[in-house]
Amino acid sequence: MSRLASGLQRLRRSSSPWEVLWSALASCGLVLFSQLAVAMVPRLFPSLSLLAMLPIAGLVFLAAIVVGRLWRRFIGVAASAPLFVLFNILLLWGVYLFVIRRETSSLLDMLINAECALLLWGLYRILSGDPGIVACDSSYLEEAGCKDFVEAICSSEKLPMLSRVRQCTWCKANIRGYDHHCPAFGTCIGQKNHRLFMALLTGFVVAESTYTMCSTKYITRCISSGTIRPENPVSLNMVISTMLFSILQVLWQIAFLMWHIYCICFNIKTDEWINWKKYPEFQMKEQPRSDSEVKFVNPYDKGMLCNIREFLKPE
């Protein structure tokens, strides 16, 4: 199986470069449509404070995404989630460079530019890297007496080499240390890219927080009253909309980051936590009877410090 991320498989299977181009254009169009929809919030509700605009912007953004997904049925072209993420990074960076930058200190300017550049580099690395794909060898399955690879994974005590190898239900790949399939990055998160995923997630939180701080300073200098006036230029509305978008992103990303930190501290994967009843090593019966209650036990938990050290240990 190719080492390229599964999120790009649809593009690789395209019969012509034109289909790749149309998918990129659809992703770019969805980004512009959703951001312009959010930019209408300060235009339509000029008397609201920025805090009051936040939930409205969230609903408008979700509605724009739903409309965009429905529209693809008519045009016959699906947008790419990784390209959607990419174009959102470029849009925020562009708004900063052409609008906000002149009101930003040189130190903060270097910081946010470095953060955006690192996000693009990290996105490329996670899209082009191997999450930890394990090839299926039929001879091992015969030796273990398993019908297929899924059965061998679920009973990994028969094949120690398949310990913590899980099959992704999204792309059907067998991944060592599988945590989850990330639609935003278009790839599985496994043993070989989990640290990069955590670095990227942290980078998004830091970069969007920095952008929010810069845009807040810009808006504060433009509007002394604290409310949005109807005659605001398009550039100011775009700054407000991208700031609201960044805040919404930071809110769920922080919750997501905290969850993954918890999983690292206790050495458990998201897939294992959700589907622990599929994997025998996480099941413990209070009594040997077949009808006794099965309880969860984590055989991989070695203590918080050891778990963190194991996560950070290079391959």
Side-chain angles (χ1 to χ4, degrees):
M1 185 173 181
S2 173
R3 294 186 60 191
L4 288 179
S6 58
L8 298 180
Q9 287 179 354
R10 182 169 58 247
L11 297 182
R12 292 201 307 270
R13 290 196 298 263
S14 299
S15 58
S16 70
W18 288 107
E19 293 186 23
V20 178
L21 177 61
W22 282 118
S23 181
L25 290 176
S27 304
C28 182
L30 185 58
V31 168
L32 293 176
F33 175 70
S34 58
Q35 291 290 349
L36 288 175
V38 176
M40 293 301 296
V41 174
R43 177 70 65 178
L44 297 176
F45 303 97
S47 61
L48 294 180
S49 65
L50 295 176
L51 185 61
M53 290 182 187
L54 192 60
I56 301 176
L59 293 175
V60 169
F61 182 79
L62 289 177
I65 296 298
V66 171
V67 171
R69 291 178 66 89
L70 293 175
W71 178 247
R72 73 177 183 180
R73 297 183 180 180
F74 296 95
I75 63 176
V77 178
S80 167
L83 289 177
F84 182 82
V85 174
L86 171 63
F87 287 129
N88 268 305
I89 297 173
L90 294 177
L91 177 65
L92 264 64
W93 200 0
V95 172
Y96 168 77
L97 290 175
F98 293 103
V99 182
I100 304 175
R101 188 179 189 180
R102 60 177 178 268
E103 302 291 342
T104 306
S105 65
S106 57
L107 181 61
L108 201 56
D109 177 59
M110 288 189 296
L111 180 63
I112 194 170
N113 282 300
E115 289 169 352
C116 290
L118 286 174
L119 284 182
L120 294 178
W121 177 79
L123 186 61
Y124 165 76
R125 285 292 306 274
I126 203 166
L127 285 172
S128 60
D130 175 17
I133 296 174
V134 176
C136 177
D137 193 328
S138 58
S139 61
Y140 292 136
L141 302 183
E142 294 176 1
E143 180 183 344
C146 299
K147 296 179 181 179
D148 52 32
F149 203 73
V150 176
E151 182 182 347
I153 290 172
C154 292
S155 56
S156 57
E157 67 274 4
K158 298 180 181 179
L159 287 172
M161 66 184 65
L162 296 182
S163 176
R164 304 197 90 171
V165 175
R166 317 296 184 196
Q167 185 175 69
C168 175
T169 57
W170 184 287
C171 61
K172 306 303 180 183
N174 304 303
I175 309 295
R176 187 177 302 280
Y178 174 73
D179 186 86
H180 70 286
H181 184 93
C182 181
F185 296 150
T187 187
C188 295
I189 305 303
Q191 181 174 310
K192 291 188 176 180
N193 66 354
H194 201 169
R195 290 185 295 275
L196 177 58
F197 169 79
M198 290 297 293
L200 258 179
L201 185 57
T202 305
F204 271 99
V205 171
V206 172
E208 288 164 343
S209 299
T210 307
Y211 181 86
T212 300
M213 181 174 61
C214 294
S215 57
T216 301
K217 290 182 178 180
Y218 177 84
I219 294 170
T220 301
R221 292 180 182 181
C222 292
I223 309 169
S224 58
S225 63
T227 57
I228 311 301
R229 296 189 297 270
E231 63 273 12
N232 286 325
V234 175
S235 60
L236 182 55
N237 284 331
M238 285 301 298
V239 172
I240 296 171
S241 67
T242 50
M243 183 199 70
L244 294 174
F245 171 78
S246 297
I247 295 174
L248 292 170
Q249 291 291 302
V250 168
L251 291 177
W252 76 262
Q253 286 169 355
I254 287 178
F256 201 46
L257 180 62
M258 294 302 295
W259 163 253
H260 280 282
I261 292 175
Y262 167 84
C263 289
I264 292 169
C265 290
F266 292 95
N267 199 357
I268 190 169
K269 310 298 183 182
T270 301
D271 175 74
E272 294 171 344
W273 189 85
I274 296 174
N275 301 309
W276 64 271
K277 291 186 177 180
K278 289 172 50 179
Y279 310 120
E281 66 265 36
F282 292 98
Q283 301 172 22
M284 180 184 68
K285 290 186 177 182
E286 291 186 332
Q287 299 178 3
R289 300 196 317 269
S290 59
D291 60 343
S292 61
E293 183 181 358
V294 177
K295 289 193 173 182
F296 172 83
V297 61
N298 184 3
Y300 302 109
D301 188 0
K302 305 172 185 176
M304 187 176 297
L305 292 179
C306 289
N307 293 336
I308 295 174
R309 190 180 301 115
E310 181 179 326
F311 174 80
L312 296 176
K313 182 174 64 176
E315 299 295 334

